């Protein structure tokens, strides 16, 4: 519904849901190198953000608080924190005061998970493990938390020294229509290789020879035809690997698999840790190169389409290039300098998919200098 950047350490989004909308505040607290004044200003910004949220919203505050809360805190802060923190409570006292004043409970300290599913950050030396990332939810919804499934997931392949922390809540939200199960997707990109294309055609032609032996029953012919195409594609092409971005290649996915396997053994020896770091750097480098090449290829297609007078193809390619999953509402300031984050407050705009018509026109006519703005 809206996205509000508050500071470089605090940002909030508002999500439409039933019976109540959800306001999620993501934070990144100052480290121990900062002064106490910086920490106080950080918590004041979070409190101001909570006050501005609608009263009926479900408030969730999550992120890296750079603070530890030990199991000893439960005696004095029952209801705000669970019995299953880690380490000793140091700067976590300020976090407990904030959570108590806002009637929040620290969800990932409520269940007796084993230590590896409670710690969230790992030092570079591989010997220090702390719990400094927390998810705070309103006390009134404490019974909605699935405590057994609210934990750290150290196996998540995210390329960071922090682990993924997941909160699971069970509430009566807006009904979500279940999507139709998609069919099998084969790796059709391999057909661009002439040798693989020739092998595919040869095997498929050999399977079609069996069609001449069947009777004129249309159902048998259809089933045999579909089975021949499917089996040939399975043997020659293989199934398409799931890709979240169009520029991701199979080579990058293989590197991600290697990084995932190295993560399990990176703390066993310095050599394994070095291999993991190098593989992680290589994955990021390859992704950046692949994305840049993908953008350049689409820009060339756009320019070629405009030169040939095929504006329909050019604008269709531009739409594909600028397509994004971000919220369509724009964050702008009004005359008094206040941020407008609601679509109704921003008013009707000519922005479409994150790029205005003027930007698209300038992109097409203004050559390659507009590419970084995407």
């Amino acid at each position: 519904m809206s996205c509000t950047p508050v500071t470089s350490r605090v940002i909030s989004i508002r999500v439409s849901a039933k019976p109540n909308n959800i306001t999620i505040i993501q934070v990144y607290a100052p480290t121990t190198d900062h002064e106490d004044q910086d920490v106080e200003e950080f918590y004041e910004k979070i409190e101001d953000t909570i006050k501005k949220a609608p009263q009926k919203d479900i408030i969730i505050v999550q992120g890296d608080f750079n603070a530890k809360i030990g199991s000893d805190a439960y005696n004095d802060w029952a209801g705000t924190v669970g019995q299953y923190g880690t380490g000793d409570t140091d700067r976590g006292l300020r976090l407990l005061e904030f959570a108590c004043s806002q009637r929040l409970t620290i969800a990932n300290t409520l269940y007796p998970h084993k230590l590896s599913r409670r710690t969230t950050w790992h030092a570079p030396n591989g010997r220090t493990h702390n719990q400094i990332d927390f998810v705070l939810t309103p006390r009134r919804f404490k019974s909605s938390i699935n405590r057994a499934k609210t934990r750290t997931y150290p196996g998540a392949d995210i390329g960071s020294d922090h682990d993924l922390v997941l909160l699971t809540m069970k509430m009566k939200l807006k009904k979500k229509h279940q999507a139709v199960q998609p069919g099998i997707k084969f790796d059709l990109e391999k057909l661009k290789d002439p040798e693989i294309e020739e092998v595919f055609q040869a095997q498929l032609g050999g399977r079609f020879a069996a069609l001449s032996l069947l009777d004129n029953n249309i159902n048998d012919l259809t089933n045999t035809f579909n089975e021949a195409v499917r089996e040939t594609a399975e043997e020659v092409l293989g199934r398409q690997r799931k890709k979240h971005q169009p520029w991701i290649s199979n080579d990058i996915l293989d590197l991600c698999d290697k990084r995932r396997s190295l993560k399990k053994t990176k703390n066993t020896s310095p050599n394994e840790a070095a291999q993991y770091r190098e593989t992680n750097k290589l994955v990021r480098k390859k992704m950046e190169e692949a994305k840049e090449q993908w953008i350049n290829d689409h820009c060339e297609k756009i320019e070629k389409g405009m030169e040939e007078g095929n504006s329909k193809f050019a604008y269709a390619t531009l739409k594909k290039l600028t397509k994004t999953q971000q919220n369509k509402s724009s964050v702008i300031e009004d005359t008094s300098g206040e941020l407008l984050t609601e679509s109704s407050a921003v008013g009707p705009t000519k922005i479409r998919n994150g790029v205005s018509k003027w930007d698209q026109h300038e992109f097409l006519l203004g050559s390659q200098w507009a590419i970084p703005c995407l």
Side-chain angles (χ1 to χ4, degrees):
M1 298 174 66
S2 65
C3 176
T4 307
V6 181
T7 67
S8 60
R9 295 185 176 276
V10 180
I11 188 172
S12 71
I13 63 171
R14 191 162 182 244
V15 182
S16 176
K18 297 290 184 180
N20 300 92
N21 297 324
I22 304 172
T23 295
I24 303 174
I25 303 174
Q26 182 75 25
V27 303
Y28 174 53
T31 59
T32 54
D33 298 332
H34 290 74
E35 300 293 335
D36 292 340
Q37 181 63 28
D38 297 334
V39 178
E40 290 297 325
E41 292 177 359
F42 165 74
Y43 281 104
E44 289 175 2
K45 286 294 183 181
I46 303 178
E47 291 175 357
D48 293 338
T49 305
I50 294 176
K51 290 178 182 178
K52 293 180 180 179
Q55 294 183 355
K56 293 185 179 181
D57 277 20
I58 301 173
I59 305 295
I60 296 177
V61 184
Q62 61 183 21
D64 182 0
F65 287 86
N66 277 311
K68 293 187 294 182
I69 300 177
S71 57
D72 57 316
Y74 178 75
N75 297 328
D76 299 326
W77 303 89
T80 300
V81 66
Q83 305 179 49
Y84 307 104
T86 60
D88 298 322
T89 304
D90 50 1
R91 295 180 67 185
L93 182 61
R94 183 64 184 90
L95 173 58
L96 290 170
E97 293 174 352
F98 161 76
C100 183
S101 65
Q102 300 298 322
R103 299 189 61 79
L104 301 173
T105 185
I106 303 177
N108 52 324
T109 62
L110 300 176
Y111 193 82
H113 291 291
K114 59 182 181 180
L115 189 61
S116 63
R117 295 184 178 180
R118 284 183 283 157
T119 56
T120 63
W121 175 78
H122 310 280
N125 59 21
R127 295 187 296 271
T128 304
H129 311 281
N130 291 326
Q131 184 185 38
I132 60 176
D133 303 87
F134 301 99
V135 182
L136 282 63
T137 61
R139 290 187 191 176
R140 59 178 297 194
F141 299 115
K142 187 176 179 180
S143 60
S144 300
I145 300 173
N146 188 328
R147 303 184 183 189
K149 293 186 179 180
T150 299
R151 63 177 181 87
T152 301
Y153 285 78
D157 185 20
I158 57 178
S160 172
D161 53 359
H162 289 259
D163 290 334
L164 180 68
V165 182
L166 179 67
L167 164 72
T168 303
M169 298 180 68
K170 186 176 181 180
M171 301 182 65
K172 294 181 180 179
L173 302 177
K174 186 176 181 180
K175 184 178 179 180
K176 182 179 180 181
H177 298 284
Q178 189 174 4
V180 179
Q181 185 70 19
I184 300 176
K185 294 184 178 180
F186 297 103
D187 192 1
L188 301 181
E189 293 291 326
K190 291 184 178 180
L191 290 176
K192 295 181 179 179
D193 187 343
E195 295 182 359
I196 296 180
E197 182 184 8
E198 184 177 353
V199 172
F200 180 80
Q201 291 178 348
Q203 291 195 17
L204 189 61
R207 294 178 184 272
F208 281 170
L211 295 177
S212 60
L213 303 178
L214 298 177
D215 297 331
N216 293 329
N217 189 318
I218 188 63
N219 293 328
D220 294 340
L221 290 172
T222 301
N223 294 334
T224 306
F225 177 85
N226 293 336
E227 189 68 17
V229 174
R230 188 189 64 79
E231 291 180 355
T232 305
E234 187 83 33
E235 294 176 4
V236 180
L237 304 180
R239 300 194 178 189
Q240 185 183 48
R241 301 181 69 176
K242 187 175 181 180
K243 301 176 182 179
H244 294 288
Q245 299 294 345
W247 56 80
I248 301 297
S249 63
N250 289 331
D251 294 337
I252 296 177
L253 292 177
D254 292 337
L255 283 174
C256 290
D257 293 339
K258 181 180 178 181
R259 181 180 68 177
R260 190 179 299 110
S261 62
L262 289 173
K263 184 178 181 179
K264 300 177 181 178
T265 59
K266 68 175 183 177
N267 294 327
T268 58
S269 67
N271 185 32
E272 293 289 337
Q275 290 186 24
Y276 174 77
R277 288 194 298 269
E278 292 299 324
T279 305
N280 190 28
K281 292 179 182 179
L282 184 59
V283 169
R284 295 183 179 183
K285 180 181 177 182
K286 292 294 184 181
M287 284 189 176
E288 291 176 359
E289 293 176 352
K291 183 177 180 180
E292 183 177 358
Q293 184 62 41
W294 182 80
I295 292 176
N296 291 334
D297 292 342
H298 279 72
C299 291
E300 292 177 0
K301 292 179 181 180
I302 294 171
E303 293 179 356
K304 183 178 179 181
M306 295 301 294
E307 291 175 358
E308 295 177 353
N310 190 353
S311 60
K312 182 178 180 180
F313 170 78
Y315 277 101
T317 307
L318 177 62
K319 184 177 180 181
K320 180 180 179 181
L321 180 63
T322 57
K323 186 178 181 181
T324 175
Q325 298 296 328
Q326 297 178 355
N327 193 293
K328 293 185 178 181
S329 62
S330 302
V331 180
I332 63 175
E333 294 182 355
D334 60 9
T335 55
S336 61
E338 292 291 331
L339 285 179
L340 303 179
T341 58
E342 301 283 350
S343 300
S344 58
V346 173
T349 64
K350 294 183 179 179
I351 293 179
R352 186 177 183 184
N353 290 332
V355 180
S356 65
K357 293 183 179 179
W358 175 257
D359 292 335
Q360 292 181 4
H361 179 72
E362 207 169 35
F363 175 82
L364 292 173
L365 302 182
S367 72
Q368 299 177 358
W369 290 106
I371 295 175
C373 298
L374 295 175

